[in-house]
Amino acid sequence: MDPFDKAVERARIEGQGESIRSWISASSTDTTVEASLPQGRAVDLDPATLRDNLVLIDVSTPQQRLVADQYRLLRTRVLQLMKEKSQNLLGVTSPAPRAGKSLTAINMSISISRTKGQSVVLVDADLRNPSVAEVLGIETQYGLIDFLAGTVGLEDVLVQTDISGLSVIPGRRAGDIGDLPELLTSDRLRALLGKMSQETGTFIVLDLPPVLVGADVISISPLLHALLMVVHDGATQLDDLTKALQLLDGCNLLGTVLNQSSEGQDKGGYGYGY
């Protein structure tokens, strides 16, 4: 019995096995999936929490409108570059922590979800330091790591927000979670991304760990269609950016997003540029 089947058997004993097997089978020889995403847990996001965390849910002030315009421009360019190649799997990363990659991934996902006829699944794939659920104010019992471990089905992890077209697979902080790069290249994740990418018509945005904190981004990059690098103006070190770009040589790097740019601040905005 392979590791995945062992996990399924263990979960079956706990009353969860059928939900796991019914959505996805991801052993080394079988990656069969159903034709559509399962019904996830519906969650209404708290507007006050979103505003406090700079999530763009309204554009009532000049600052918000300026930032929203920049995200729309970023969204349009990303969709143009990827859709002309029939690509829809995008990873968002940064050279080092505290560059604003998670907020960029969240706000860009919201902007993409507002495109007519486009649904988005935002995946918190930063297993070392997941933050998407916290920023959005989502309470989680399970996260991506539980799905990858095979102990729950996707319906137990997937969150359908009240932002039209936006679903989230949140992360969950865990203790000893073993070899992270191995989890991020598992057949279970490969089948999940392949399923969502090829059959559901959704655009998938993955909030990834920073490049320089480990081998995670390098490990998962072959599963993705493209990467976006977030750089914090005045905080990201040039040496870190250079090292990160060298490590990602050969990957489909769409470009770099300049977060908190001084030019944007001079214009009275949040300082978001790209």
Side-chain angles (χ1 to χ4, degrees):
M1 182 179 295
D2 65 35
F4 176 75
D5 286 328
K6 289 180 180 178
V8 172
E9 178 61 18
R10 181 175 67 252
R12 185 192 64 77
I13 295 173
E14 297 171 356
Q16 299 172 335
E18 288 305 315
S19 66
I20 295 172
R21 181 64 76 177
S22 66
W23 196 80
I24 181 172
S25 173
S27 69
S28 58
T29 58
D30 183 6
T31 55
T32 303
V33 295
E34 286 186 352
S36 62
L37 288 172
Q39 184 73 27
R41 175 168 60 100
V43 170
D44 291 335
L45 303 179
D46 176 42
T49 298
L50 299 180
R51 282 192 293 268
D52 288 346
N53 292 329
L54 303 181
V55 177
L56 289 174
I57 56 169
D58 59 53
V59 288
S60 58
T61 70
Q63 288 181 332
Q64 290 170 331
R65 286 193 289 273
L66 176 62
V67 178
D69 284 343
Q70 294 301 309
Y71 275 113
R72 280 193 288 268
L73 192 57
L74 175 63
R75 169 200 70 191
T76 300
R77 188 57 177 152
V78 166
L79 291 180
Q80 285 176 341
L81 289 171
M82 295 186 66
K83 289 204 167 185
E84 66 184 17
K85 298 179 180 179
S86 299
Q87 297 175 337
N88 59 352
L89 272 168
L90 175 69
V92 180
T93 186
S94 61
R98 293 178 292 279
K101 67 173 181 61
S102 296
L103 186 59
T104 298
I106 291 169
N107 280 332
M108 189 174 65
S109 296
I110 292 174
S111 186
I112 293 174
S113 74
R114 289 172 174 164
T115 304
K116 183 177 180 181
Q118 183 64 67
S119 59
V120 180
V121 176
L122 172 60
V123 182
D124 192 339
D126 189 345
L127 300 183
R128 298 174 187 271
N129 187 30
S131 61
V132 170
E134 181 179 356
V135 173
L136 294 177
I138 298 173
E139 295 185 3
T140 60
Q141 180 180 2
Y142 303 113
L144 176 64
I145 191 168
D146 301 291
F147 175 79
L148 296 181
T151 55
V152 299
L154 187 62
E155 66 274 16
D156 300 306
V157 180
L158 188 68
V159 173
Q160 295 174 328
T161 76
D162 58 340
I163 297 176
S164 180
L166 179 67
S167 297
V168 177
I169 299 177
R172 181 180 68 82
R173 297 183 186 278
D176 182 11
I177 51 180
D179 191 335
L180 297 181
E182 183 177 312
L183 282 175
L184 290 174
T185 56
S186 66
D187 287 335
R188 194 163 173 80
L189 180 60
R190 186 185 300 272
L192 171 64
L193 296 180
K195 155 73 177 119
M196 292 192 297
S197 171
Q198 298 170 19
E199 299 182 29
T200 66
T202 58
F203 194 92
I204 303 99
V205 177
L206 290 91
D207 179 26
L208 301 173
V211 176
L212 300 180
V213 302
D216 305 28
V217 177
I218 307 303
S219 297
I220 196 175
S221 61
L223 303 183
L224 307 179
H225 295 146
L227 289 168
L228 199 64
M229 179 81 74
V230 178
V231 176
H232 193 296
D233 190 13
T236 299
Q237 300 298 310
L238 180 58
D239 285 348
D240 287 345
L241 176 58
T242 301
K243 291 176 184 176
L245 292 176
Q246 290 173 343
L247 288 170
L248 295 179
D249 184 38
C251 298
N252 182 18
L253 185 63
L254 287 185
T256 301
V257 177
L258 182 60
N259 193 23
Q260 293 295 316
S261 72
S262 56
E263 179 182 354
Q265 292 172 354
D266 292 341
K267 294 179 179 178
Y270 283 121
Y272 180 91
Y274 71 95

